Amino acid sequence: MSAFVISESALERNALILRDVADAAGCRIVLALKGFSCWPCFDALSPWLDGCCASGLWEARLARRRFGKHVLTYSPGYASEEIAELAEISDHLDFNSLTQWSRFREEVMRHPRFLSGELKCGLRVNPRFSTGHTPLYDPCAPGSRLGVTPDVMQGADLAGISGLHFHTLCEQGADDLAATLGAVERHFGHILSRPEMTWLNMGGGHWITKPGYDRKLLAELVRRIRERYGVEVWLEPGEAAAIHTGVLRCRVLDIFSSEGVEHAVLDVSASAHMPDTLEMPYRPDVFQIVRDASLRSARQPAVQMAGESYALAGNAGEGSHTYRLGAPTCLAGDRIGDYSFAEPLAAGDELVFDDMAHYTMVKTTFFNGVRHPDIAVQRKDGSVETVRRFTYEDFEARLG
């Protein structure tokens, strides 16, 4: 049976790094639920983080119900029937456009939580400054729908707005944030200088917990912005909280040869269970659970089980046995890639896809009726608890 397995200890390790950065910079750091929303693991994160950021009503409900603390909500578009509840459960409610803010401003500003100061409203801005390398993830691409551009902001009525929000990074370092802040200040610094502006949300994409990330520079950048404009700074990383904390374990269902290609059909799907392998130029690391412990690699997966030895798979042709890993679906392109292994694969063998906790889990589907992997948590004492086992009834209920 396939399963996503998440390590509580690894989550806490990341959370402690984020807490140290927040304390050094004097800012607030929240969990981006779009990157990781496995609420049975929130106890490993909530003592150290300041809350959650939500991408809409359902995530805001989850944040309020399961995490507590601050709830920061932003969506490219709100429906009219959502505003009352969002105003009730959000602490920051950020709008993507001046038209949305104009449409809902009176309703929001009449809300008792806004009048008391519990609810603050902001605008997402687009500094038109790209530093990323993947067009699909670039919110500052020409014609982007995400955020208010400098030209549109000229002369805008910002009554009721107390903060700005930008999100331009994706798996990037503090040097890219430094460059982006230059553009933000150039285009929007005069707005941040207004006395009614009390906070700035620098969004996510900060790879804070990755080895080599310049955390000292991040803290310096945040402190400089706080001191220059007198604002509270918020960061909302998702990947940084959950990177290297989970794996996807799966089984080999079949091995066969076709026109010179050795195929290994697995009980997981790229399309349904790890779509980034199809959407992005992303190749996950794969570990083979080997019978010969002498083949054990120095590097090991994020979550390890007692008594198991793991060998890191290589590129096609690097090792003795190369296979094309594919899914049990009817989609011809539903394959993960070509990998080479230390030992030959056989039906029933297990493979471990590394670093599968962030983004992957929140994108899964029931495409083709493929059995959905369990969700399990490795507790701090090493025990593994299955917190969710999906059934046929879950699949049927999705569409009726």
Side-chain angles (χ1 to χ4, degrees):
M1 177 90 53
S2 60
F4 290 101
V5 187
I6 307 161
S7 167
E8 273 191 330
S9 297
L11 284 170
E12 187 174 85
R13 174 203 66 211
N14 285 347
L16 286 168
I17 293 173
L18 295 175
R19 183 72 263 152
D20 286 346
V21 168
D23 291 343
C27 68
R28 304 288 193 98
I29 297 184
V30 298
L31 170 68
L33 293 183
K34 66 181 178 182
F36 183 78
S37 56
C38 185
W39 60 264
C41 296
F42 283 176
D43 285 349
L45 299 171
S46 59
W48 315 108
L49 302 183
D50 295 296
C52 297
C53 71
S55 301
L57 179 57
W58 285 5
E59 283 189 353
R61 284 181 184 174
L62 181 67
R64 179 58 67 200
R65 181 179 178 190
R66 296 292 185 178
F67 202 98
K69 298 190 173 181
H70 293 273
V71 178
L72 282 57
T73 306
Y74 158 80
S75 172
Y78 299 115
S80 57
E81 64 271 18
E82 297 175 334
I83 293 299
E85 184 175 355
L86 284 169
E88 190 64 39
I89 62 178
S90 302
D91 298 290
H92 285 187
L93 186 57
D94 295 351
F95 292 82
N96 183 65
S97 68
L98 291 169
T99 54
Q100 278 252 304
W101 173 237
S102 176
R103 181 182 178 190
F104 298 120
R105 173 166 46 194
E106 289 189 13
E107 179 181 356
V108 171
M109 293 180 68
R110 287 197 305 266
H111 196 281
R113 294 186 69 248
F114 182 89
L115 295 172
S116 70
E118 293 177 85
L119 171 64
K120 297 177 175 61
C121 291
L123 276 179
R124 176 167 177 168
V125 295
N126 178 353
R128 300 180 68 182
F129 188 82
S130 299
T131 56
H133 308 291
T134 306
L136 182 65
Y137 285 174
D138 184 4
C140 296
S144 173
R145 75 185 190 285
L146 301 175
V148 184
T149 52
D151 55 322
V152 176
M153 193 71 100
Q154 293 296 324
D157 180 3
L158 300 183
I161 296 295
S162 58
L164 299 181
H165 173 180
F166 70 88
H167 183 146
T168 66
L169 305 183
C170 176
E171 298 182 348
Q172 290 172 262
D175 52 340
D176 288 319
L177 175 61
T180 299
L181 280 173
V184 170
E185 291 189 81
R186 203 160 48 245
H187 294 304
F188 305 108
H190 63 291
I191 296 175
L192 285 173
S193 297
R194 296 179 183 179
E196 64 269 24
M197 293 292 160
T198 60
W199 55 271
L200 174 65
N201 186 331
M202 296 185 183
H206 314 280
W207 232 0
I208 299 169
T209 53
K210 187 176 178 65
Y213 183 94
D214 192 343
R215 298 167 195 155
K216 181 179 179 182
L217 175 59
L218 173 63
E220 291 172 355
L221 293 170
V222 170
R223 288 196 299 267
R224 178 176 63 78
I225 292 295
R226 287 177 49 234
E227 293 163 6
R228 177 171 295 178
Y229 298 103
V231 294
E232 185 175 56
V233 172
W234 296 77
L235 304 177
E236 45 182 49
E239 183 159 324
I243 193 171
H244 300 309
T245 64
V247 300
L248 174 58
R249 295 175 64 100
C250 68
R251 289 178 301 171
V252 177
L253 300 178
D254 192 19
I255 300 289
F256 63 91
S257 180
S258 174
E259 299 185 84
V261 176
E262 288 293 314
H263 291 274
V265 178
L266 312 180
D267 64 350
V268 295
S269 159
S271 177
H273 305 138
M274 43 181 126
D276 276 353
T277 61
L278 299 180
E279 297 173 355
M280 300 293 299
Y282 171 63
R283 178 182 170 88
D285 287 332
V286 179
F287 288 85
Q288 179 183 18
I289 301 175
V290 291
R291 293 170 285 277
D292 183 353
S294 68
L295 298 173
R296 177 184 173 95
S297 299
R299 183 182 158 200
Q300 298 291 284
V303 180
Q304 303 162 47
M305 301 299 179
E308 292 184 345
S309 294
Y310 307 89
L312 179 64
N315 294 322
E318 288 183 351
S320 303
H321 310 278
T322 293
Y323 300 89
R324 180 164 296 166
L325 306 183
T329 70
C330 62
L331 177 63
D334 195 354
R335 59 177 185 251
I336 297 106
D338 293 0
Y339 291 81
S340 63
F341 297 88
E343 294 180 337
L345 297 180
D349 285 353
E350 288 191 80
L351 300 179
V352 178
F353 287 87
D354 203 18
D355 207 14
M356 287 285 130
H358 58 84
Y359 283 99
T360 297
M361 289 181 61
V362 297
K363 291 184 174 183
T364 58
T365 72
F366 283 96
F367 169 65
N368 230 165
V370 174
R371 184 187 294 272
H372 197 290
D374 293 345
I375 297 176
V377 179
Q378 188 176 58
R379 302 300 184 187
K380 293 179 184 179
D381 63 4
S383 64
V384 177
E385 177 188 354
T386 299
V387 297
R388 184 73 160 91
R389 173 155 288 166
F390 296 90
T391 65
Y392 164 77
E393 286 70 27
D394 294 310
F395 166 64
E396 182 180 319
R398 287 283 294 246
L399 298 175

